[in-house]
Amino acid sequence: MIPSAGRENPATMRRTLIALCALAVLVSACTPQSEPASTTSITPPVTPEPIAVEDPGFYLNLMWHQHQPFYPKDADGVYTRPWVRVHATKDYYDMAALHDEFPDVRATFNLTPVLMLQLEDLAAGAKDAYWVAAEVPAAELSEDEKRFILERFFDVNPKIVARFPRYQDLADDRAARGVDAAITGWSDGDFRDLQVLFNLGWTDPDFLSVEPLAALVAKGRDFEEADKAILFAEHLRIIEETIPLHARLWNEGRIEVTTTPLAHPILPLLADTALAAVGDAAAILPVNRFREIPDADEQVLRGLDTAERLLGRRPTGMWPGEGSVAQLVMSLFSKNGVKWVASGEDVLAKSLGLGSFTRDSSDTVVEAELYSPWAAQLRRNDPVAMFFRDVRLSDQLGFEYSGMSGEAAADDFMRRLRNVRDLLEAEGELGGDSPPVVSVILDGENAWEHYDNDGKEFLRALYRNLSDADWVGTITPTEYLSRFAAPEPLDEVWPGAWFQPNFATWIGEPEEATAWDYLFDVRSDLAKAQGSVSEDAYAAAFEKMLFAEGSDWFWWYGADQDSGDDGYFDRAFRELLGQVYDALGMDRPSFISVPIIPERPVLADRTPVDLVAIRIDGSGSDWVGTGRYELGDMSVEWAFDKENLYLRWNAEPGGVWSTYLGAPVGEKTPLSAAGSVLGFGATVQILWDGDVVALCAADVPAVNPESCEDVSSAAGGDFVEAAIPLAALGALEPGDTLFAKTDVGGTLLPGAGPMAFQVPDIS
């Protein structure tokens, strides 16, 4: 796939990229921007020659989706995550280059605009935080840099770690010692080896098998600082060549390249968040209905413009972000020149009124409707062809085959594909003016680290089988539409995504609803600012707004997905929102500092056993079966009955302290009176002023409690107890969590995270 000879050198590929930019009449635009000067087609569409075998009357539409979120940069202009770079060096280049090795296999590659913009920026000299940390000479690493490397440079699948014996030894040693001990116990050589091995691990095996990296792999350990320069020069070369490689293969008719709307948004939800309720009647919707069809339209237009500028041709097909479609947005594709889009089988089943497709004992869909393109009908615009993925076939590649040998997995895929053909042949569906086409569409980057040797054996075996088979042909959507009859009409497109007939992964839970309300508030402020700031300032702010509308931030909110570090995506989303105000020259509103995902709470030393009714009389006799947090010199106990939250502070009552409480509903304040970030949004403050307990707004300073309301409280010899009416905490439901921290003399307790009081059955 990537031979040591015949590979184009960096200078050649840079000249190719410059030539493409010149064709776009946009040489100066070879740095990231989102508003190119031209939106017209540069190169006439190329229809690849049909494969030189008899028409099989049965086709496979194989589509790889390549995408990463728009990772914000830090204050030094460094990308905060490395995943664009390392997926380029491990996945993006080699998957496309496979088509030089198997020229008879057609496939479609979807390159998202936000991915390509970051690749362009990296090729121009930008770096990510992991790259920067790896370049620091090991002997000069600070304690913080060592901690970062120890905590983050094992962010890789264990299968990859195991391919490098020294990497595995370091992983085992870190696990045995712990991070703190390794910071002081590891040698400079240990850190240097880890700096190199993390980046070797995130490099495709085909590159590792040839020079200059083969020598580093053979060396295996005891790396030198000079080895890093070799490694990162090769990473940069691969990044520089990735987009031009796709452009060349597309121009040669080997592949088709498509794109998404600019920021990979859930386009139907940008158009109207109320669409969430169509497929998910129980969805918790945001307070404010987000309806920005002009933004959705701009996302489509800018996505196409960006792809055209960087690839030299304007795509005619789109994989909408997450395959998300709805009748409401289909005209946005058509009016911008998009001829076809793709989505999931659940969307088609609902659109046809089938509910869902039926599978037989061999896992094959029995309804032939899945294996034909359809055409969304529009009132004023041309129809948009639609291809729908076979979810089981696609998921076999994405999630199942990694546990099998490459040859066995490829054989199983061909067997499943043959089962589809045999069923359709029995029904007389093969051939004709509209032959069946099976759409297998999946993520093209994240699966391979779970395979042995990065999936090399599987992919080569699969492509070899497809090249040799005379009963199935590979085809791209544009080629299919150019060769065969127009698709049958689809009158109404059901709102859904690639793996479900709704948008429940991105909206419907409380955190997601809050995120959409944040988006609404910022979009409203942006609209108000238009006309009162310069055109350049508004344009910069609007671009940040579009990036914040991407789907990736909403994916990680709620309980249905877990990255292991969801807080990062929360911070990234809110940072993009903050950059809208930065571009406008306005102060960021305080709500942007409030985490949507609360800081992880600490474990209680004791949890309540049931509802507990407590008399607030200073005797302390009823505090049995309550929950308890030990906070050093103070402890906090809590309990619920159906009307109150009871709190007891076990400390000398002569002091003064505040407890900040964050309820699900209510205006949230990000900072305590001590000026420290709480890690959750506080809705109320419970203040003990040395005399009584008062319930205050979260931002009321302790020295000015006049606007607070007294609650039932009493002091004992070494404690203070109070009853907080649940009605004062907003609309609470069983299962809700109240987060709390206590400010004692300017110190927030607990320090490691908030206390958490889960609301029991109070109905």
Side-chain angles (χ1 to χ4, degrees), residues 380-451:
R380 294 191 300 273
N381 299 101
D382 292 337
V384 178
M386 302 185 73
F387 292 80
F388 296 94
R389 71 193 289 267
D390 183 310
V391 64
R392 289 294 295 131
L393 272 175
S394 302
D395 285 354
Q396 290 299 117
L397 277 70
F399 305 110
E400 303 297 332
Y401 285 154
S402 59
M404 303 170 62
S405 72
E407 291 286 349
D411 289 345
D412 183 77
F413 180 84
M414 298 301 289
R415 176 186 63 80
R416 289 172 179 270
L417 194 61
R418 187 65 188 244
N419 286 342
V420 177
R421 186 188 192 280
D422 290 347
L423 186 148
L424 294 172
E425 183 177 31
E427 296 179 357
E429 297 287 347
L430 295 186
D433 293 336
S434 300
V437 56
V438 179
S439 293
V440 172
I441 307 171
L442 67 149
D443 185 292
E445 58 199 1
N446 290 321
W448 311 119
E449 64 191 79
H450 300 278
Y451 282 68

Side-chain angles (χ1 to χ4, degrees), residues 128-378:
D128 59 73
Y130 291 56
W131 185 342
V132 171
E135 285 186 320
V136 177
E140 299 175 14
L141 289 168
S142 68
E143 181 175 331
D144 286 344
E145 289 168 335
K146 289 180 177 180
R147 182 176 298 278
F148 178 85
I149 289 169
L150 284 164
E151 290 179 345
R152 308 311 308 187
F153 275 39
F154 295 96
D155 289 348
V156 64
N157 192 285
K159 282 193 172 184
I160 294 177
V161 174
R163 296 209 312 260
F164 302 87
R166 172 62 166 157
Y167 203 176
Q168 186 64 63
D169 289 344
L170 291 171
D172 293 341
D173 189 66
R174 187 202 68 160
R177 290 175 183 256
V179 169
D180 289 337
I183 287 174
T184 57
W186 274 23
S187 68
D188 293 344
D190 293 332
F191 281 102
R192 187 181 302 110
D193 283 358
L194 182 55
Q195 288 173 310
V196 172
L197 287 165
F198 169 80
N199 290 285
L200 283 178
W202 277 104
T203 307
D204 185 77
D206 283 355
F207 286 117
L208 298 179
S209 67
V210 297
E211 296 302 343
L213 299 186
L216 296 184
V217 174
K219 189 175 186 179
R221 61 180 301 145
D222 300 326
F223 296 106
E224 301 171 11
E225 292 296 333
D227 293 330
K228 297 178 185 178
I230 296 171
L231 173 57
F232 285 116
E234 187 68 357
H235 272 207
L236 180 59
R237 183 188 66 79
I238 298 167
I239 291 166
E240 290 174 333
E241 296 182 8
T242 296
I243 293 176
L245 171 66
H246 285 81
R248 173 178 68 79
L249 291 170
W250 189 16
N251 282 326
E252 293 173 356
R254 306 278 189 88
I255 65 173
E256 180 172 358
V257 181
T258 59
T259 196
T260 68
L262 176 68
H264 195 263
I266 305 299
L267 208 66
L269 294 181
L270 294 189
D272 190 351
T273 49
L275 285 173
V278 176
D280 183 13
I284 298 172
L285 298 181
V287 173
N288 302 290
R289 186 175 177 179
F290 196 93
R291 287 185 289 185
E292 291 291 342
I293 290 179
D295 284 15
D297 183 43
E298 191 70 16
Q299 292 273 5
V300 174
L301 177 62
R302 292 198 188 196
L304 293 166
D305 287 350
T306 300
E308 181 179 35
R309 178 174 66 82
L310 293 173
L311 291 160
R313 289 175 59 187
R314 195 171 187 82
T316 58
M318 265 196 166
W319 171 251
E322 306 291 359
S324 56
V325 292
Q327 187 66 32
L328 179 62
V329 300
M330 298 310 295
S331 62
L332 303 182
F333 299 116
S334 181
K335 70 189 288 284
N336 285 296
V338 176
K339 304 301 182 185
W340 65 268
V341 301
S343 188
E345 69 173 52
D346 290 332
V347 171
L348 178 60
K350 288 286 191 180
S351 299
L352 295 174
L354 298 177
S356 61
F357 287 107
T358 306
R359 295 183 181 272
D360 64 16
S361 59
S362 67
D363 225 11
T364 305
V365 170
V366 301
E367 294 92 351
E369 288 88 344
L370 178 60
Y371 302 118
S372 296
W374 294 81
Q377 301 301 295
L378 304 169

Side-chain angles (χ1 to χ4, degrees), residues 672-696:
S672 78
S676 301
V677 176
L678 291 171
F680 61 91
T683 51
V684 297
Q685 176 187 173
I686 303 164
L687 171 66
W688 165 255
D689 66 357
D691 184 25
V692 296
V693 174
L695 184 65
C696 313

Side-chain angles (χ1 to χ4, degrees), residues 14 17 30 117-126 131 236 239-241:
R14 280 194 291 270
L17 180 58
C30 288
L117 286 171
Q118 290 173 96
L119 286 172
E120 180 188 34
D121 198 20
L122 290 168
W131 185 342
L236 180 59
I239 291 166
E240 290 174 333
E241 296 182 8

